[in-house]
Every structure is written in C-alpha cells, then in structure tokens.
Amino acid sequence: MNLRQMEVFHAIMVTGSVTAAARLLNVTQPAVSTVLKHCETQLKMKLFVRVAGRLQPTAEAHAIFPDIAAIFGRLEAVGRLTQDLSGGRLGTLSIAAAFPIANGYLAEAVATFMSARPNLRATLQSLTSPQVLDRVINREVELGVAHEPVVSPAVETEVLVTTTIACVMRKDHPLATQEEVEVTDLSPYPIITYLPQVSFRPYVDRAMSAANVAPTINVQISIAITGIMLARYGAGVALVEPALVESMSIPDIVIRPLAPRIEAKTLMIRLKDAPQSKAMKDFVTHLKAQVRKNHSH
C-alpha cells in the first residue's frame, strides 16, 4: 500500500463510509472509490464488503488497521511538532553570556520567556566576554551576549544596551551620602576594579587619567560579583558594572553613578549568515523588550 491508499483506507475506517471519508480528505467520492479499488486489486484481497447497503471492514482490514492508525498518529504528532516549532514554542535556546549579564537580566529574560513555553529547553552559559565570542564562532551556541569590544569577521553584532561602570559601596561609606560620585572624589579611598585583561578595565583607566586621579587600586577582580561582595565587606569602593546588584538586591550595598559617566556597549553576537530558529527570533524580541523595561525604571 502506498501512503495515499493508506490515507483513504484510514479515512474509511475512521468515518465508516466512502462519502464521509471523501469529506474528511476534501476530495470527491469517486476519487476515494477509485483509490480503494486500486488498492484492493493490488493487494489481491477485499478490505470492505457491503452489508445491507453499509460498508463493513473485512477481517483483513481489521488486521492491518492498528499499524496504519499508528502511522497516522505519528503523522499527526509531526504536524503538532512543526506547528510548535513554527510558533517558537519548542526547540532549544542556546545562549552564552558574560557573567553579570547571564546571572542578571538575561536569566530573568530566559525564565520569563520559558514560563510561557513549557516545551522549550535552554542552555545558558556564563563566561568571560572572549569565551562568549568563542562559543558563537564554534557554533556551540546560537546567541552570545557580551561587552564590547567584539572583533571577529565571523560574527555580526547588535547593540543591546549601553552599560555604565558605577560605584558600588557599603551604605555606611562616606561617599554613599552623595547623589553621584565625581571621579576626583575617589582619590582618598581604596578602589576595587577589574584586572587589566578584563574588557572594562581600559574604560576605568581612561576615566581616571582624564580626571588626573591616581587611584589606590587595592583589589583587582575578574567579575563584577566578586568586587560587589568585597565592597559589601568593606574592602573599598568597587568600580564595576552594577547590573547584578540591581537584579539580586544584595543587602548593605548602594550604587552611585559616576561623573563623568563611564559607558560601554553590551552586544548581541550571532554567527554571520547562520539561520536563526523561530524560538531564538522570538527570544531576542522578548530580551530587547525586557532590557527596555529594566532601563526605563
């Protein structure tokens, strides 16, 4: 039996008549009868007999029906699956992001996106910005979110948000009483900031030298959360990207903007010319909306 013959046989078995089968398959009644006749000729056996004007399945028809019903059950499942995929409800989101992003607003965006799509699966890796770029280039993830600079001909980038370096300190710190902190105000205090190899550090150094400040950097860190916790326990003022404090509400800590502002862009990174899944397209839209909402507060 070919698939068309199976389809006609299945429709007659399910509906109980040629007329109803034709309606179900959206074809004419003679078309159904012709396919059935060819099928019976080919199989050299009867599948239906007429009893008192009604079509009755033969013992042979009953014997093959369970296997054919199983095939159409699978076809329906495939249909549902493709609908879910095209609706972005299924599939896998694979994302890599810089530590503060992955553990802050990106985690929130993934969680809220998935709560409306119970069949979606995700991987979210939290790494350094250079590692994020690496994962995208090696096709280990579909989307990377990292801080600039991102330099590679293999990828395309889009600015997601402009981040700022701020002062994070204990709420009993002398500078905590100020609405904003001038870079020159930092001179007398111990500073916690990024290691020279971290992408944010050059921004901090440039701001310091522009203000003619030679800071006492007593602790250097690789990720913002370490600086934030050091500041919380009194090691000094942390000059870090403060998104994690905002999303985690760490106690005893305040954030004060720096003047002049130290700004850096956060970029979405995708492989050039790589097709994007429907789920990822929808997620990027959701992420942008989430970031806009968080930054408008």
Side-chain angles (χ1 to χ4, degrees):
M1 287 172 91
N2 63 33
L3 199 55
R4 183 65 182 152
Q5 290 167 341
M6 286 185 202
E7 194 176 26
V8 163
F9 169 71
H10 182 256
I12 298 169
M13 287 292 283
V14 170
T15 61
S17 79
V18 170
T19 314
R23 242 196 328 271
L24 180 68
L25 297 174
N26 216 0
V27 293
T28 63
Q29 198 176 326
V32 170
S33 300
T34 306
V35 172
L36 178 60
K37 202 193 277 169
H38 276 155
C39 181
E40 290 181 325
T41 308
Q42 215 172 303
L43 295 176
K44 300 186 178 63
M45 64 183 181
K46 287 295 255 180
L47 293 172
F48 298 95
V49 289
R50 279 200 180 277
V51 178
R54 289 188 60 79
L55 217 52
Q56 295 288 342
T58 61
E60 290 79 5
H62 280 298
I64 61 175
F65 180 65
D67 283 345
I68 287 174
I71 290 168
F72 283 91
R74 295 298 305 144
L75 284 176
E76 272 172 38
V78 171
R80 283 194 301 274
L81 172 65
T82 52
Q83 269 182 319
D84 278 348
L85 286 169
S86 68
R89 290 183 294 273
L90 256 195
T92 303
L93 290 179
S94 55
I95 307 163
F99 287 101
I101 301 167
N103 300 316
Y105 60 82
L106 189 59
E108 186 188 352
V110 169
T112 50
F113 186 72
M114 290 184 73
S115 66
R117 297 163 179 80
N119 295 321
L120 193 68
R121 296 289 172 263
T123 60
L124 175 55
Q125 301 181 43
S126 111
L127 307 159
T128 64
S129 288
Q131 286 171 326
V132 170
L133 176 61
D134 196 50
R135 294 294 193 280
V136 174
I137 291 171
N138 291 328
R139 296 177 185 269
E140 288 173 50
V141 297
E142 197 179 342
L143 176 72
V145 187
H147 303 299
E148 65 177 357
V150 171
V151 185
S152 164
V155 300
E156 52 195 22
T157 62
E158 182 186 343
V159 177
L160 177 63
V161 67
T162 300
T163 52
T164 54
I165 304 287
C167 295
V168 179
M169 58 198 133
R170 283 177 66 88
K171 57 182 182 211
D172 57 7
H173 192 282
L175 292 177
T177 56
Q178 299 179 200
E179 283 290 296
E180 66 173 19
V181 175
E182 296 279 338
V183 174
T184 48
D185 298 339
L186 295 167
S187 309
Y189 301 106
I191 301 296
I192 304 152
T193 195
Y194 299 99
L195 284 156
Q197 62 266 40
V198 178
S199 57
F200 280 140
R201 178 61 183 273
Y203 294 88
V204 174
D205 289 346
R206 280 197 292 274
M208 292 290 181
S209 63
N212 238 343
V213 173
T216 312
I217 297 174
N218 66 343
V219 191
Q220 298 183 83
I221 44 113
S222 57
I223 58 171
I225 188 70
T226 316
I228 292 161
M229 297 316 283
L230 283 160
R232 184 189 170 193
Y233 295 121
V237 178
L239 297 186
V240 292
E241 201 269 327
L244 266 184
V245 186
E246 292 158 357
S247 60
M248 288 170 77
S249 62
I250 299 163
D252 310 324
I253 277 286
V254 294
I255 306 168
R256 294 291 177 263
L258 263 177
R261 284 162 73 87
I262 302 176
E263 293 190 335
K265 291 180 174 63
T266 299
L267 306 174
M268 289 191 292
I269 310 161
R270 300 188 196 88
L271 204 59
K272 255 191 202 138
D273 309 322
Q276 232 187 319
S277 68
K278 175 74 168 69
M280 185 57 84
K281 276 192 188 124
D282 291 349
F283 174 71
V284 167
T285 305
H286 175 78
L287 174 61
K288 287 176 179 172
Q290 180 102 25
V291 166
R292 270 198 306 276
K293 191 180 81 187
N294 288 358
H295 281 259
S296 63
H297 289 168

